[in-house]
Amino acid sequence: MSYCRQEGKDRIIFATKEDHETPSSAELVADDPDDPYEEQGLILPNGDINWNCPCLGGMASGPCGEQFKSAFSCFHYSTEEIKGSDCVDQFRAMQECMQKYPDLYPQEDENDEKSSKDLEAASMEAPAAKKEKGSS
């Protein structure tokens, strides 16, 4: 015999083997846009931002979540000629918050910057060296 019991905020349901022998009568609605479990992507059908999208990598819920939401919302809804140019203050606040939590939001260190600059310089020099070899 199945039964339920409440433990604090949790509701525990015990089901018997007989309960599971009958097929479910639940009806699924295909492609329900209001289904909270449906993966919607970053932008919801109504144009709002889906803050639960895994593509945000948890940025909306961390210690700088409010600053991230403010900056991202500003950019998303920006109507400026250069999109987001009116959001500098929000992005600055987000960056300042992130700098307070270097373990959660690692910054690119000087060695990484130097190596990426070296790679960039090398890629710019390579075509010039080929031209010089070909012209002699």
Side-chain angles (χ1 to χ4, degrees), residues 108-126:
E108 190 175 272
D109 65 18
E110 289 178 24
N111 291 336
D112 289 343
E113 268 184 43
K114 186 178 184 302
S115 62
S116 66
K117 285 181 183 175
D118 290 345
L119 285 173
E120 194 174 297
S123 67
M124 296 298 260
E125 292 171 3

Side-chain angles (χ1 to χ4, degrees), residues 42 50-63 65 68 72 98 104-106:
L42 180 59
N50 179 7
W51 296 116
N52 296 320
C53 180
C55 62
L56 293 176
M59 291 292 293
S61 60
F68 174 80
F72 194 84
M98 291 172 139
L104 293 174
Y105 309 104

Side-chain angles (χ1 to χ4, degrees), residues 4-76:
C4 291
R5 82 172 186 230
Q6 196 77 26
E7 285 188 12
K9 65 175 180 55
D10 300 319
R11 183 175 166 194
I12 302 169
I13 302 171
F14 291 94
T16 64
K17 181 179 178 183
E18 291 79 28
D19 292 329
H20 289 287
E21 287 177 346
T22 57
S24 173
S25 60
E27 292 182 28
L28 300 176
V29 178
D31 299 328
D32 180 3
D34 299 324
D35 183 359
Y37 301 104
E38 180 72 28
E39 290 188 30
Q40 298 287 336
L42 180 59
I43 307 301
L44 297 171
N46 66 1
D48 289 344
I49 299 167
N50 179 7
W51 296 116
N52 296 320
C53 180
C55 62
L56 293 176
M59 291 292 293
S61 60
C64 300
E66 290 306 311
Q67 293 85 345
F68 174 80
K69 286 180 180 180
S70 174
F72 194 84
S73 293
C74 181
F75 181 82
H76 176 66

Side-chain angles (χ1 to χ4, degrees), residues 69-85:
K69 286 180 180 180
S70 174
F72 194 84
S73 293
C74 181
F75 181 82
H76 176 66
Y77 296 112
S78 176
T79 57
E80 293 296 310
E81 181 68 28
I82 299 175
K83 188 167 180 80
S85 62

